[in-house]
Amino acid sequence: MTRCIHLLLALAGTLLALPAMAAPLDRPALIAQLCGNAGAMGEAGAALLALAAAGSAEDRGWAAPLAKALIDKKLACDDTGAVLGDVDAVTRAPRTAPDTARTPVLSLKNRAVFETADAALALRSAPDTDQRAAALRTLERRPGSLPEGLLDAAAASESDAGLRTQIETLAQTAALNSPDMAKRINAINRIAETPSRRALTQISALKADPAYASDAGFRQAVDRAVGRIDRGIAIGDTLAALYNGLSFASILFMAAIGLAIIFGLMGVINLAQGELIMIGAYVTYLVQEALRHLVPALLDWYLVLAIPFAFLVTAAIGIALEASLLRHLYKRPLMSLLATWAVSLFLVNLVRVIFGTQNLQFETPFYVTGGVPVIGDFIFTWNRMFAIAFAVATLAITWAVVRKTPLGLNIRAVTQNRDMAACIGIPTRRVDMMAFGLGSGLAGLAGLALSPIYSVNPQMGQNFIIDSFMVVVLGGVGTIAGTVVAALGIGQINVLIEPLWGAVAAKVIVLLMIIGFLQWRPEGLFAVKGCRK
Amino acid sequence: MTRWTQDRAFLALIAVLVIVAVAMPVLEPSRYLTNAIGQLAAFAVLALSLDLIWGYLGILSLGHGLFFAIGGYVIAMHLLKHSFEVTGTVPDFLQFMGWKDFPFYWAGFGSFPYALVIAIAVTTLIAGVFGYVSFRSRVGGVYFAIITQALVYVAMLLMFRNDTGFGGNNGMTGFAVVFGWPIGTTGMITAMAVVSVLALAGVLLACRMLVGSRFGALMLATRDDETRLRTLGYETLRLKLAVWCLSALIAMLAGMLYVPQVGIINPRVLSPELSLEIAVWVAIGGRGHLVGAVIGALLVNAVKFWLSSAAPEVWPFILSGLIVLVVLVFPNGLVDLAKFRLTRPMGAKRLATEIGEAR
């Protein structure tokens, strides 16, 4: 927001400044100066530099090769003017230089001016981003010798966002050290408009400036800017904490929702849930590799294309698990706990044997790369946004399945009272199987959502299982609302405590809070009556 | 009748343990074997502690490694402090942190009775507080299992920190002397193994007496129908708390026996996996049977010892297969196997009652 205003101001400033400065350029006179003595060449260099800042686009295009030609000794002067390679320097009509032509040589002092002018012209009119970036690097070395308005004009016309930011930063630095006090104060205010820790260091350094002690206006401006930046950083940090908490909560939610459905329905804690998450991530990896070999053009979209695969593979594993193992154990939830642990052990080692223990390499598609700086040091990063959006979509779909479909109706009925549901003809066995498949498939989706953020290896499941248990215990048996609220709560608490005392303390405090909470409500936030095992 | 058959297996096991304890110094098996027997005995004590609370009270703890670790860490602190007093070298982990001396809370650990008192006090305190708040709000079953697992996990994260003064992620190692004798000699290894086997026999005997008593009957009644027992006027909270603390203390004892024999303790003993494995030993041996728990722990760990050197990548598959087999085919663990084998001549009906009772 502030950035946009900033840009508009810069643009407006340039537009106002241009007509006043633009005077018709006397091209033959300039060429004559270039061919003149050292003093004349110096004037020509300054003229070129001024041209880069305030000349018309046409003039700048015309002048662009001149400085470079002079540095490289490619300008041949004769009586009628000069020849640039094989064209006339003034008219750019084809012409060959006579044998009598001489090549002007730059003095050491003029060379610096011409290098600056060359870079300034390149920054304004080079077609290639890399060339402009190189020109900017040259200019960064001599911020003091740049003509006024050059950087603002360059920033306004720059198309590459990253380069534009660099140009603006240089413009600020140049203005900050300008001899003109009004300009300095103006620059301070402009830096304060985009608060960040770097801006704070930049401005705070000015307190050591002699002007800070002598000039009241300057001191006031610096103090005001520091206060403003401090506020901006504080707001940014708060937003960043909230955003990180939200993204952590969405990952917790993804990991826990499948667990919650299975737990609520059958009282079975699925200790293999973490491994189903891991398998979801591995399926995503396989889809990525398959795309790389078969349709490389679609490689960037593997995260989207893998969604059905991740869901179906893990759901199939879940259904197989239920049908072969867990259906024998419904009356013995503690034994099913051990059985699912055996499954998790098996899956971890199977994956370890097949794929090895190293982390998988994932492409980062453009839609999860980078982010938008908002305020202070808070960057709205796309990979976290991806996880949040994915969790919200999963929440919506799960909610719709559980609330709006016949399967969901059956699941809710069996969750509330298994025997009664069986009595009125609900096929509880099949509902169990489908629900287990749904819960497992959701774990697979969690694995997919995690793969651009976390490292993917056979051990990854174990990192989530305890956290997702906590969510389920806190949220209460198998309610979506409970899972959402518990995930949000635990996610935010974690993120709030972590910067203060570290990740371990956050885990300890969350556990103690949950134990304390269970004193008050032993069945969690949203307990469904009559299904506690 | 039931008691007689069970006692027969029990007496046989006690006899075997005593014979092993006597035979080891006489026959002098290899150091490796002696050491392995001692470690197995420590694990069996650990399994007994869990069987007491899970098999006889129906409370599954997936965090018993916590109490095991308390015993292990305290004995390690004692051994290091003791070694320091004899040899004068500060342990590596303190040098690594740049500390010249032990932190203040290590004071007094050079004395074994003090260390023992601290271990008992800490175990009772943690088990007591945690058990009280859990049992009071009637957190049970799967909920309790999950919370205990989270507890041990959090403890692991804490101990992984290097600035706690407990060895951090490297743990504690380099014990030189036990009660004034050098630790690595064959005689010391044998002595520690004998002590462990005798301790196992003693704990087994004590547990047997406990579950055979009137108190044991109350434990079974609590497991089978706590509500009814409460209605009848029994205070089950106190009973559960007492058994829970006792179980924790036995687990702590197992840790004290185990650590001097392996010569190292690190936060891995606090990983949720180890605590889950304890439940697996008990389930495989047969929960609700003290003898079963001991045999389960000995068997699983013996196979693990053998396979983790012979074919380390196969072991997890074997373990998971074993668990699934036991859970599906032998719901009462190896005790079910005994039903087919040992007791066929005795009449199936009587045995059916016995098994049913112990469930």
Side-chain angles (χ1 to χ4, degrees), chain A residues 263 269 325 328-329 332 334 337-338 341-342 345-346 349-350 466 469-470 477 504 508 511 515 518-519 522 532, chain B residues 54 62 130 133 136-138 140 142-143 146-147 149-150 154 158 276-277 280 283 316-317 320 327-328 331:
Chain A
F263 184 46
I269 272 292
L325 192 57
H328 302 290
L329 302 173
R332 300 186 293 156
L334 294 181
L337 200 86
L338 291 188
W341 185 61
L345 202 62
F346 178 83
N349 284 286
L350 194 68
I466 305 263
F469 281 164
M470 297 284 97
V477 185
V504 175
V508 174
L511 174 73
I515 292 175
L518 289 180
Q519 299 300 302
R532 178 113 178 258
Chain B
W54 186 27
L62 292 183
F130 181 73
V133 295
R136 194 187 62 115
S137 61
R138 307 217 180 113
V142 173
Y143 274 78
I146 294 170
I147 298 282
Q149 193 179 24
V154 162
L158 274 179
L276 268 156
E277 255 186 66
V280 168
F317 293 108
S320 54
V327 160
L328 288 186

Side-chain angles (χ1 to χ4, degrees), chain A residues 14 20 26 32 36 77 179 188 208 321 332-333 372 413 448 481 528:
Chain A
T14 330
D26 188 354
C77 294
I188 290 169
L321 201 61
R332 300 186 293 156
V372 180
L448 185 147
V528 180

Side-chain angles (χ1 to χ4, degrees), chain B residues 1-14:
Chain B
M1 293 171 294
T2 311
R3 174 167 291 190
W4 164 241
T5 51
Q6 190 156 352
D7 274 356
R8 200 166 60 180
F10 166 75
L11 290 174
L13 184 58
I14 291 275

Side-chain angles (χ1 to χ4, degrees), chain A residues 332, chain B residues 323-333 336 340:
Chain A
R332 300 186 293 156
Chain B
I323 299 168
V324 170
L325 183 78
V326 163
V327 160
L328 288 186
V329 187
F330 306 114
N332 294 309
D336 277 347
F340 296 123

Side-chain angles (χ1 to χ4, degrees), chain B residues 54-68:
Chain B
W54 186 27
Y56 290 90
L57 215 50
I59 298 170
L60 174 57
S61 157
L62 292 183
H64 248 49
L66 176 63
F67 307 117
F68 185 71

Side-chain angles (χ1 to χ4, degrees), chain A residues 172-503:
Chain A
Q172 284 169 355
T173 317
L176 214 51
N177 298 320
S178 144
D180 182 353
M181 191 52 73
K183 232 181 268 174
R184 290 187 84 171
I185 292 175
N186 197 22
I188 290 169
N189 290 338
R190 272 175 64 176
I191 289 175
E193 273 165 24
T194 48
S196 69
R197 293 215 153 70
R198 209 168 53 100
L200 187 63
T201 349
Q202 209 175 0
I203 299 286
S204 299
L206 291 179
K207 287 187 177 176
D209 197 283
Y212 184 76
S214 60
D215 190 323
F218 182 77
R219 186 165 59 236
Q220 219 170 30
V222 169
D223 290 345
R224 211 171 37 235
V226 167
R228 203 166 150 194
I229 294 172
D230 276 338
R231 248 191 334 276
I233 288 176
I235 294 172
D237 286 354
T238 313
L239 287 177
L242 284 175
Y243 185 60
N244 290 346
L246 198 61
S247 79
F248 185 51
S250 65
I251 288 159
L252 277 183
F253 169 78
M254 291 292 301
I257 181 68
L259 200 67
I261 288 177
I262 295 172
F263 184 46
L265 194 72
M266 314 183 218
V268 169
I269 272 292
N270 182 14
L271 278 181
Q273 195 79 6
E275 278 59 44
L276 291 172
I277 293 175
M278 180 260 295
I279 286 180
Y282 272 79
V283 170
T284 310
Y285 174 76
L286 289 180
V287 168
Q288 174 197 277
E289 292 305 295
L291 284 176
R292 190 195 301 281
H293 288 108
L294 301 176
V295 219
L298 289 177
L299 186 58
D300 255 3
W301 296 103
Y302 75 93
L303 276 176
V304 180
L305 295 172
I307 289 174
F309 294 98
F311 183 84
L312 290 177
V313 169
T314 45
I317 292 175
I319 288 175
L321 201 61
E322 203 278 343
S324 62
L325 192 57
L326 289 169
R327 70 191 175 90
H328 302 290
L329 302 173
Y330 281 145
K331 298 288 176 215
R332 300 186 293 156
L334 294 181
M335 279 297 174
S336 64
L337 200 86
L338 291 188
T340 50
W341 185 61
V343 172
S344 91
L345 202 62
F346 178 83
L347 290 177
V348 167
N349 284 286
L350 194 68
V351 170
R352 189 180 290 160
V353 167
I354 296 175
F355 292 93
T357 51
Q358 76 285 7
N359 286 344
L360 294 188
Q361 295 300 314
F362 280 90
E363 299 288 328
T364 34
F366 63 90
Y367 48 88
V368 291
T369 317
V372 180
V374 182
I375 184 166
D377 293 318
F378 170 40
I379 296 173
F380 190 79
T381 48
W382 292 121
N383 59 354
R384 287 182 186 274
M385 193 59 223
F386 177 79
I388 294 172
F390 203 88
V392 170
T394 311
L395 170 63
I397 292 169
T398 315
W399 183 84
V401 167
V402 172
R403 285 280 148 186
K404 302 285 176 197
T405 63
L407 172 68
L409 187 65
N410 286 349
I411 290 179
R412 279 180 292 142
V414 177
T415 304
Q416 285 207 346
N417 191 330
R418 173 175 295 270
D419 295 335
M420 192 62 82
C423 281
I424 59 169
I426 292 174
T428 52
R429 292 284 320 106
R430 229 184 53 221
V431 170
D432 285 343
M433 203 186 283
M434 298 303 287
F436 212 97
L438 176 65
S440 307
L442 289 172
L445 291 185
L448 185 147
L450 287 174
S451 50
I453 307 177
Y454 281 81
S455 50
V456 172
N457 56 46
Q459 268 80 41
M460 69 181 285
Q462 283 146 27
N463 299 334
F464 294 102
I465 196 76
I466 305 263
D467 279 330
S468 33
F469 281 164
M470 297 284 97
V471 171
V472 173
V473 169
L474 184 61
V477 185
T479 61
I480 296 181
T483 311
V484 172
V485 174
L488 282 174
I490 292 181
Q492 290 298 352
I493 290 171
N494 249 303
V495 169
L496 287 183
I497 296 174
E498 256 186 46
L500 296 179
W501 298 301

Side-chain angles (χ1 to χ4, degrees), chain B residues 28-42:
Chain B
E28 289 185 356
S30 71
R31 285 161 61 106
Y32 178 79
L33 185 62
T34 313
N35 190 251
I37 290 174
Q39 288 186 35
L40 289 182

